[in-house]
Amino acid sequence: MIAPNPGAGLKPLAKIASGGETSRLMLGLKNVLASADEVPSLIFDEIDQGIGGRVGMVVGHKLWNLSRTHQVFCVTHLPQLAVFGDQHYQVQKLIDNGRTLTRVESLDGDARLLELPQMLGEVGEGTLRSAHELLQIARQMTKEKK
């Protein structure tokens, strides 16, 4: 049972929570219980569902905190969350001779700096500047805790 909003009253989690809300609830629980949790790897999918950039920065920082004691794998479409990753992968679906294939590529340096603006939209001066700013903010938020 959970009451996600003040005054809402307790309701069954399975009936009221979306996939994203369930992932974010699990993130909160895992952060609180991190020191007692013996599960070495955690996977979060759809954690960015239904949130915007400002909340994405908060969720990204919480995932980063959790990654200090666990291996965290997170699938996201939100650059505000992706900038907190120690590693960044791009996953693409491709069609080759009528078959669907998946390609996973590790991104760093310039490749990552190109992927982040693509996650924001069309690559241009503004989205490139925004990607640099997001990376700087994430570095500042994590600098004192490394």
Side-chain angles (χ1 to χ4, degrees):
M1 303 289 277
I2 183 171
N5 298 304
L10 292 172
K11 295 191 172 123
L13 176 65
K15 294 207 184 254
I16 64 166
S18 68
E21 289 168 326
T22 303
S23 287
R24 289 186 293 278
L25 178 64
M26 183 58 77
L27 174 60
L29 289 172
K30 290 293 185 180
N31 266 286
V32 170
L33 301 172
S35 62
D37 191 355
E38 295 182 20
V39 176
S41 299
L42 304 168
I43 301 171
F44 292 93
D45 189 13
E46 303 289 335
I47 199 164
D48 57 3
Q49 185 68 34
I51 63 173
R54 190 175 316 147
V55 174
M57 292 298 286
V58 173
V59 171
H61 191 239
K62 290 189 180 297
L63 284 165
W64 181 86
N65 278 332
L66 190 58
S67 75
R68 300 305 93 189
T69 56
H70 296 74
Q71 179 183 35
V72 174
F73 183 82
C74 179
V75 179
T76 185
H77 302 276
L78 201 60
Q80 290 87 344
L81 208 150
V83 294
F84 285 94
D86 293 327
Q87 296 180 343
H88 190 135
Y89 296 91
Q90 179 190 58
V91 180
Q92 291 182 323
K93 277 188 184 178
L94 308 166
I95 309 261
D96 186 25
N97 292 326
R99 290 191 55 213
T100 303
L101 304 172
T102 304
R103 185 175 89 190
V104 180
E105 183 180 347
S106 178
L107 303 177
D108 56 10
D110 289 341
R112 186 177 190 195
L113 284 174
L114 187 58
E115 176 65 11
L116 290 168
Q118 288 175 349
M119 294 173 80
L120 288 164
E122 292 294 321
V123 176
E125 205 174 295
T127 53
L128 282 166
R129 188 172 40 253
S130 293
H132 280 281
E133 288 175 9
L134 287 172
L135 281 168
Q136 287 176 335
I137 292 167
R139 286 183 186 130
Q140 280 296 316
M141 291 175 76
T142 59
K143 185 164 83 172
E144 57 274 352
K145 293 186 178 183
K146 283 190 176 183

